[in-house]
Amino acid sequence: MRGAQVILAQSFGLAGDGIPGGASNEAMAKIVRELHRQYELPMVLQWEIADCLIDLPMVGVVREHRKFGKYLDTREVLVQSFLVCKKQGWTRVIVVAHPDHIWRVKKVAEKLGLDVFIPDTSSVPYDPHSIQSWTRNKIRFIPREIAARLLYFIKDWL
């Protein structure tokens, strides 16, 4: 991961009480914190992870879709993160995401023109209390992920 210029992170679900965190996002926040400590890189984070790391400086936080009322999906988070990177001249990124989500995140980031480094996120669990039912467990997530990959392929986002 040496040579990376920025850390990007995508959330996975939302805590059952609607506040940031939850098992998945808190685990990814720990990984981001360690990467930041080790490499001292700027960060562009989705808000659920950013709000777990309020003591760390961030270059960008992705909170909502650029089109009012639209769902903040994987691609939109990456497009907004990419725009921050482009403005700074960064192309080499460390991407933190849930292990079952990372393949799609990586492919979209590469399609946007980023060189992607992937840290080990195998310790990141599902959150059985997430308000997003598809992020509660693997059995719920994988069918949705297959459909999402197909949609992203059709839209030429991968």
Side-chain angles (χ1 to χ4, degrees):
M1 282 182 259
R2 297 249 178 246
Q5 299 164 300
V6 63
I7 299 167
L8 309 181
Q10 293 240 333
S11 71
F12 195 77
L14 186 61
D17 52 10
I19 60 171
S24 303
N25 294 323
E26 288 171 7
M28 285 188 287
K30 287 179 186 176
I31 292 168
V32 169
R33 181 179 297 282
E34 179 56 28
L35 289 167
H36 178 70
R37 186 198 64 73
Q38 186 174 1
Y39 297 108
E40 298 180 358
L41 294 173
M43 300 179 295
V44 180
L45 310 174
Q46 193 167 353
W47 74 271
E48 295 92 334
I49 295 173
D51 285 3
C52 294
L53 299 167
I54 58 172
D55 58 315
L56 296 180
M58 291 165 225
V59 175
V61 177
V62 179
R63 290 201 177 269
E64 56 191 39
H65 201 291
R66 291 170 296 160
K67 293 182 181 175
F68 181 76
K70 287 197 78 178
Y71 175 68
L72 184 60
D73 65 2
T74 298
R75 184 171 186 276
E76 178 64 18
V77 173
L78 283 165
V79 167
Q80 289 188 41
S81 299
F82 170 76
L83 293 172
V84 173
C85 291
K86 185 176 178 182
K87 189 174 183 178
Q88 299 293 330
W90 300 325
T91 58
R92 295 182 313 276
V93 302
I94 296 173
V95 176
V96 176
H98 188 280
D100 290 333
H101 184 212
I102 195 65
W103 183 88
R104 181 162 45 109
V105 174
K106 181 178 187 288
K107 292 297 183 186
V108 172
E110 289 173 341
K111 185 75 171 188
L112 291 169
L114 298 170
D115 295 321
V116 180
F117 299 86
I118 304 295
D120 179 12
T121 60
S122 61
S123 64
V124 176
Y126 281 87
D127 182 357
H129 304 292
S130 174
I131 64 172
Q132 293 177 317
S133 63
W134 62 92
T135 63
R136 291 180 192 154
N137 59 55
K138 192 173 200 120
I139 289 173
R140 290 178 183 231
F141 183 72
I142 295 303
R144 187 176 192 283
E145 180 63 10
I146 291 168
R149 289 181 187 189
L150 180 59
L151 175 66
Y152 278 42
F153 178 76
I154 289 167
K155 291 189 173 224
D156 197 31
W157 292 348
L158 298 174

